[in-house]
Amino acid sequence: MTPNTPFPANFLWGNSVSTMQTEGAWDADGKGRSVYDIRPATDHSSDWQVAIDDYHRYPEDIALMKDLGMTCYRFSISWSRVQPNGTGAFNEAGIAFYERLIDDLLAAGITPMICLYHFDMPLALAEKYNGFISREVVVYAREMLRRFADRVPYWLTFNEQNLYGLTDSFIISGYLHGDKTLHDLYQIQHNVALAHALVTQIVHADFPQAKIGAMIAHQQIYPATPHPQDVWITQQYHTFVNDNVIRLDTQGTYIPQVAHYMRTHGMGDILKECELAELAGARSDFAAMSYYWSSTFDHTKLPANTAPNWYNQYAVKKNPYLDANTWGWQIDPTGFRSALNALYQQTGLPIFPIENGIAAKESWNGTDAIDDGYRILYHRAHLHALQVAITEDGVPVIGYLGWGWIDIPSSQGDMEKRYGVVYVNRGNHDLRDMARVPKRSYAWLKQVIQSNGRQL
């Protein structure tokens, strides 16, 4: 393999975003409130009411995507925009927005990919049912598929589905009240897996032209040392956090060790036979993943009797062989290759890396393009790793979607944590003019896409 090996024909190049981080227009045209709409700004974060105002500025952004050469754009649907209360009547004005967005993307030669749930549950559902802790919460997928499956070939059920088995699950699943017990965490993960299984059955039965996939946030963890306990806790974390969710999504069964753990730790009631039968219908057409960084685990930092799902709260140790960004995320392209291989060997499915990027604090002087050479270095190294996974390891890869092609508020609402090759001129509390300004990495990525990876 040489550095200028082209990617496969029809390889998809693009980026991913989420609705709450892009759209704004939080109360426009009949939209209901989501759990994000009630989160206030802080000293170091914005609220979610404006984001980058893509609801009004998406034609400008699609023009930039087309100029960049993007051939795929993954976005999410705001559930509360199309169904304000999460159940009941649909909002035609909200649906019309996505109709326009999809049609304009297609007209620009960009394949749309829809994620049905990216953490922004309608507030009414969260208040009534406490989010995915209840089976009363039913994904609105069928109606969205009916409206859009004729034009949208790729679909995801949940963004980063394995996060629903971590402490983050209480935030992202609409869980508003409760004691955040381990039982609640496993119940949320179980109900999310059930929802995924039911949606895959709907797609394959009624919308066979569409491909439905699952997505994990790949947790690339190494033992901090060869100590057997470091190796053991690392293996356990992968089993409980990565592998079990992958198996649920693609085979519809629990890993036996995880099911045994649930039954011996007061969570056996979750594993109802009728629901396990429903889970068995889960089938994914491709396996998607996000990948940003790797870390190591040190068993000496882990309190006794910690649940495997929570090892990352205690056992993380800096890897002395890797550099890191401002937020301590360690840069590891080889870990990307390893993650791609692991996901393919487990599933046998085509792999779609749909989030990959580096955050940085950046400011614009109002005239010159931001010189973000570090972003070029990051993506170049990861694309090299992707080339090796395809050509030397035989991993079938659909495409590469970075996070993100444009600056958006981070998952915590921090506009100063920037991932994009396009700068957006706003801060956390000062909206300024929100001008879109290509950075130096924009021209580099444009060249990469035009050459299908021959020129990295």
Side-chain angles (χ1 to χ4, degrees), residues 19-32:
T19 177
M20 72 279 190
Q21 292 168 281
T22 54
E23 287 181 7
W26 71 285
D27 61 351
D29 299 329
K31 180 185 177 296

Side-chain angles (χ1 to χ4, degrees), residues 68-362:
L68 185 60
M70 282 172 52
T71 54
C72 186
Y73 181 56
R74 174 210 146 194
F75 61 93
S76 62
I77 290 178
S78 169
W79 189 349
S80 58
R81 190 177 298 284
V82 299
Q83 194 179 30
N85 293 315
T87 58
F90 284 87
N91 175 31
E92 292 300 325
I95 292 172
F97 165 72
Y98 294 107
E99 294 272 5
R100 296 190 299 271
L101 176 63
I102 290 167
D103 288 346
D104 286 2
L105 286 167
L106 291 170
I110 300 170
T111 298
M113 179 183 192
I114 286 178
C115 179
L116 288 163
Y117 186 80
H118 194 130
F119 308 161
D120 61 338
M121 177 169 285
L123 182 61
L125 278 185
E127 290 178 336
K128 186 173 183 180
Y129 296 122
N130 206 23
F132 283 104
I133 196 69
S134 170
R135 282 218 62 193
E136 296 300 319
V137 173
V138 179
V139 176
Y140 65 113
R142 184 183 292 277
E143 182 66 12
M144 296 300 99
L145 285 157
R146 187 180 74 82
R147 301 287 189 132
F148 305 134
D150 61 328
R151 286 160 290 167
V152 178
Y154 292 102
W155 294 74
L156 289 173
T157 47
F158 293 87
N159 183 70
E160 298 179 324
Q161 192 163 331
N162 56 328
L163 295 189
Y164 298 87
L166 301 174
T167 50
D168 288 344
S169 67
F170 297 113
I171 298 172
I172 64 181
S173 70
Y175 183 102
L176 296 182
H177 53 82
D179 296 328
K180 298 184 178 180
T181 64
L182 191 63
H183 189 283
D184 282 355
L185 182 144
Y186 273 82
Q187 185 70 69
I188 290 168
Q189 181 175 257
H190 180 79
N191 288 347
V192 166
L194 275 172
H196 170 79
L198 294 172
V199 173
T200 66
Q201 292 174 62
I202 290 170
V203 170
H204 293 139
D206 299 333
F207 305 95
Q209 73 275 28
K211 294 188 181 299
I212 185 76
M215 176 195 180
I216 68 162
H218 190 87
Q219 309 288 299
Q220 185 69 14
I221 309 295
Y222 309 121
T225 73
H227 192 290
Q229 284 299 316
D230 286 350
V231 176
W232 171 248
I233 66 171
T234 301
Q235 176 188 317
Q236 289 302 96
Y237 188 74
H238 278 287
T239 296
F240 278 73
V241 174
N242 288 342
D243 303 346
N244 185 61
V245 175
I246 293 167
R247 183 179 293 196
L248 283 170
D249 287 344
T250 59
Q251 300 179 36
T253 59
Y254 279 88
I255 285 179
Q257 184 189 3
V258 177
H260 177 76
Y261 179 88
M262 293 171 68
R263 292 189 175 103
T264 56
H265 287 77
M267 296 174 287
D269 61 301
I270 296 172
L271 302 174
K272 300 177 178 65
E273 289 301 322
C274 61
E275 293 185 355
L276 293 176
E278 288 181 292
L279 274 174
R283 293 294 182 272
S284 296
D285 299 312
F286 60 91
M289 58 178 281
S290 63
Y291 176 86
Y292 294 93
W293 48 268
S294 68
S295 191
T296 74
F297 274 180
D298 176 356
H299 77 280
T300 66
K301 302 173 68 175
L302 191 65
N305 302 316
T306 302
N309 309 71
W310 291 339
Y311 285 177
N312 66 322
Q313 301 296 308
Y314 305 100
V316 170
K317 184 176 182 179
K318 183 178 179 180
N319 189 331
Y321 299 102
L322 299 175
D323 294 328
N325 74 354
T326 303
W327 288 269
W329 292 16
Q330 296 203 267
I331 300 167
D332 182 11
T334 302
F336 187 35
R337 178 185 181 182
S338 177
L340 292 160
N341 273 276
L343 190 55
Y344 177 54
Q345 306 311 326
Q346 287 176 275
T347 66
L349 295 172
I351 306 303
F352 206 163
I354 59 175
E355 287 186 27
N356 177 236
I358 183 171
K361 292 184 177 181
E362 296 165 330

